Amino acid sequence: VHSEKLWRLAGGFLRFAPFEPAPVPVRGPRAGGFRFGSFNVLDKISPACWTVWRDILRAVPDSTLLLKSFALKHPSAMAAWRRRLATEGLEGRVRLLPFVESDAAHLALYGEVDLALDTAPYGGTTTTCEALWMGVPILTLAGARHAGRVGASLLARVSDAGVVAEDWNAYRAAAIELARDGAGYARLADGLAARMRASALADGDSLAAEMTAAFEAMT
């Protein structure tokens, strides 16, 4: 619900560039189990979201989940998550990482993720762009509001960058299928970092031009 008049930009609402230069990563053949990951704020992991992630891990027995979040630098948060994982029988399946000081080190950690799991109903924005920049496909859930549709909007700007699921059942199924279907996964991952850099999401000049034209048209 809004009172303002909406103005849509053909190239989307956002452009992205990392704080530190990051070379196009070379993602070699995967070894071992499939690696899911989420670098989103922990508070964005809703109960429904966590339930589906837990289902995915149980359906793909050799998979792991990497959770990286600023909050995990606090001992109480780390301890709470460790208790949660122990209670649910997921010790050893979920890796918990706190904040790292270096932007380069942060981006490098995406090399330890095969598929980024977006949170819902509040999705990621910067983390989604970072994952794409580092060649990691995204699985997102299309919500009903901006906060829940950011992932879908960003994926619309980069070809073959991930999967937009319409409901939790489709989200769960897509994650499981990508973990099991090497060819299907490779179609998304191969060359993704280069496609991201060549997309509208990396073209700040085009957004500036669109914004200028929009402001002129509004007067």
Side-chain angles (χ1 to χ4, degrees):
V1 178
H2 55 85
S3 57
E4 302 87 352
K5 179 180 179 181
L6 297 181
W7 197 282
R8 300 196 180 277
L9 302 173
F13 76 102
L14 182 74
R15 297 297 186 271
F16 173 80
F19 287 112
E20 295 181 8
V24 178
V26 177
R27 299 182 66 86
R30 290 189 299 104
F34 197 83
R35 304 169 301 177
F36 298 104
S38 173
F39 292 4
N40 292 3
V41 174
L42 292 180
D43 287 345
K44 291 184 176 182
I45 306 175
S46 65
C49 183
W50 178 250
T51 296
V52 171
W53 288 3
R54 184 182 60 199
D55 291 347
I56 291 167
L57 288 173
R58 290 173 175 170
V60 187
D62 62 344
S63 66
T64 56
L65 171 63
L66 171 59
L67 294 181
K68 177 186 175 295
S69 181
F70 180 86
L72 290 173
K73 73 179 297 184
H74 301 289
S76 59
M78 181 70 80
W81 268 90
R82 285 174 173 163
R83 288 194 299 270
R84 181 179 197 173
L85 297 176
T87 299
E88 299 185 357
L90 292 175
E91 287 180 298
R93 301 287 307 282
V94 180
R95 182 183 174 195
L96 303 172
L97 286 180
F99 175 80
V100 295
E101 296 293 338
S102 165
D103 291 323
H106 166 69
L107 289 175
L109 286 171
Y110 283 98
E112 301 181 29
V113 177
D114 295 317
L115 179 67
L117 299 177
D118 198 10
T119 50
Y122 188 179
T125 304
T126 301
T127 51
T128 296
C129 289
E130 288 174 342
L132 297 176
W133 193 264
M134 299 306 293
V136 179
I138 301 289
L139 172 58
T140 189
L141 181 70
R145 298 174 176 81
H146 172 76
R149 297 193 66 83
V150 172
S153 176
L154 297 175
L155 289 183
R157 310 300 162 195
V158 186
S159 62
D160 291 327
V163 176
V164 178
E166 295 300 323
D167 56 42
W168 281 122
N169 287 334
Y171 185 108
R172 182 189 297 106
I176 295 169
E177 181 178 0
L178 285 172
R180 294 174 174 171
D181 179 8
Y185 173 79
R187 180 180 62 81
L188 301 179
D190 291 353
L192 175 55
R195 294 198 301 279
M196 168 62 171
R197 285 160 171 75
S199 74
L201 282 181
D203 186 357
D205 289 344
S206 68
L207 178 60
E210 283 191 61
M211 289 292 294
T212 299
F215 288 140
E216 289 176 346
M218 292 176 196
T219 61

